[in-house]
Amino acid sequence: MAHDHAAHGHSQGAGHVHGSTDKKRVLIAACLTGGFMVAEALGGLLTGSLALLADAGHMLADSIALGLAWYAFHLAGRPATGRLTYGFARVKTLVAYTNGIAIFVIALWIVYEAWGRLMHPTPVLGGPMLAVAVAGLLVNITSFFVLHGGDRESLNMRGAILHVLGDLLGSAAAIVAAVIILATGWTPIDPILSVLVSLLILSTAWSLMREAAHVLLEGVPASLDRDLIAKDLEATVKGVREVHHMHVWSLDGTSNMATLHVCLNDGVDPHMVVSAIKKRLAAEHGIDHVTVEPEFGLCADSRDEHDHHHDHDHAHDAPRDRRLYH
């Protein structure tokens, strides 16, 4: 069976290297985030700052999310099984989607709490709040740069970065709120800035969820155009008369796959044409895993029941090569 092993192997090798380093980066960020979350929660309770409590809430969810992201990278390294023939790579996309939902829930909770604080203002200790917020900002900056060096094409890694970015913005907002409270004594700035930070990360969370959902629904990757790819194959691969029933999708946001039927001109070698298609898709379109069904004459899927029985009864009269090439 024809298969472009070199291209596919290179893609998997690059993905394995990225996955290994990303796994370590996410684990470091999870430990930093989880460790400081306790200190920030205590600081929020002692100072009465919603901004600190909100950021601690972010960090609690984020430490869990980063732990899940680390576990997703861990699972993705496992080999495929008889039941999970594509392996565990899509777990990373599931975690990315779940992370987006978690951010929405946290942001809505912060908005609810902020409304209560605006209706019934509470005293806030600006000095201790500022000290805790500065320490939190340093921890979040460290985590952000640890993750920022990873593979930003990975939805799982982008979800992890988004969580830490939300924490970083939360710490920055808490610092601003603390400075204003110390300078003016105006405590409503605390819940107001908490809401602003929540709205900022909500838009990014929505973008992440939309991309993860697109992958889970096996939509065509944004960087590819299925119809243009089909026309390219018809124009460049010798022996191809028509390309149809083409599906293009991504397993995890980085590994692209395709299945397609190709109608061939009479007399061409199916094996040679399939090999040429695989090489073209890998080299020009970044699609490394391809399944091709070569056909002569009518498409097998378009025939009615009568034609099917007729062909079955007379198969010995006109044998055709309709093997599936992986």
Side-chain angles (χ1 to χ4, degrees):
M1 291 188 291
H3 188 75
D4 191 355
H5 290 287
H8 188 56
H10 173 73
S11 174
Q12 287 204 343
H16 177 73
V17 172
H18 275 305
S20 177
T21 58
D22 289 350
K23 180 180 174 182
K24 294 175 183 177
R25 292 177 185 275
V26 169
L27 181 60
I28 293 171
C31 292
L32 288 171
T33 302
F36 190 77
M37 177 270 300
V38 177
E40 192 163 41
L42 291 174
L45 292 173
L46 292 174
T47 63
S49 169
L50 177 61
L52 285 182
L53 286 175
D55 198 36
H58 273 297
M59 296 185 82
L60 172 61
D62 293 351
S63 59
I64 296 173
L66 289 168
L68 287 174
W70 172 84
Y71 190 60
F73 279 120
H74 177 71
L75 282 179
R78 292 186 178 183
T81 67
R83 297 287 293 176
L84 296 171
T85 55
Y86 281 125
F88 296 82
R90 187 157 282 184
V91 173
K92 294 183 291 184
T93 307
L94 284 170
V95 169
Y97 187 78
T98 304
N99 281 348
I101 294 176
I103 292 171
F104 262 83
V105 172
I106 294 169
L108 290 175
W109 173 79
I110 292 171
V111 172
Y112 174 78
E113 286 293 319
W115 177 256
R117 291 291 183 95
L118 288 172
M119 293 299 98
H120 305 284
T122 57
V124 178
L125 301 177
M129 174 185 174
L130 180 61
V132 175
V134 169
L137 181 66
L138 294 175
V139 170
N140 289 322
I141 288 175
T142 302
S143 297
F144 178 77
F145 278 106
V146 167
L147 294 176
H148 197 259
D151 179 16
R152 277 167 283 170
E153 294 297 317
S154 166
L155 283 175
N156 192 36
M157 179 58 77
R158 285 170 58 189
I161 292 174
L162 174 58
H163 274 285
V164 173
L165 183 60
D167 291 337
L168 197 155
L169 290 173
S171 296
I175 291 173
V176 173
V179 170
I180 292 176
I181 290 171
L182 286 172
T184 67
W186 192 54
T187 57
I189 190 63
D190 182 51
I192 289 173
L193 287 180
S194 299
V195 171
L196 288 177
V197 170
S198 297
L199 294 178
L200 283 174
I201 65 172
L202 273 178
S203 62
T204 314
W206 173 252
S207 176
L208 175 68
M209 288 176 62
R210 185 174 57 189
E211 289 189 46
H214 189 75
V215 172
L216 294 174
L217 291 172
E218 298 190 343
V220 178
S223 60
L224 301 175
D225 186 316
R226 183 200 63 175
D227 296 337
L228 288 180
I229 293 173
K231 290 178 181 178
D232 174 66
L233 294 177
E234 292 170 352
T236 60
V237 180
K238 187 176 180 180
V240 173
R241 180 162 52 87
E242 181 192 3
V243 174
H244 60 275
H245 286 340
M246 185 172 189
H247 300 274
V248 181
W249 72 101
S250 176
L251 190 62
D252 57 2
T254 57
S255 176
N256 298 325
M257 316 180 81
T259 61
L260 61 148
H261 291 196
V262 288
C263 289
L264 306 180
N265 295 322
D266 291 336
V268 303
D269 182 355
H271 178 82
M272 296 297 293
V273 174
V274 170
S275 296
I277 289 174
K278 287 176 176 287
K279 291 177 181 178
R280 179 73 182 178
L281 289 175
E284 298 298 325
H285 303 289
I287 304 174
D288 294 323
H289 190 100
V290 184
T291 301
V292 183
E293 181 176 348
E295 300 169 338
F296 291 91
L298 292 175
C299 173
D301 291 348
S302 67
R303 297 187 176 191
D304 59 27
E305 197 66 21
H306 172 76
D307 289 337
H308 173 74
H309 285 300
H310 179 78
D311 286 350
H312 178 73
D313 294 338
H314 299 278
H316 61 281
D317 295 329
R320 294 293 190 186
D321 187 352
R322 295 193 180 277
R323 291 175 292 174
L324 203 63
Y325 286 77
H326 296 280

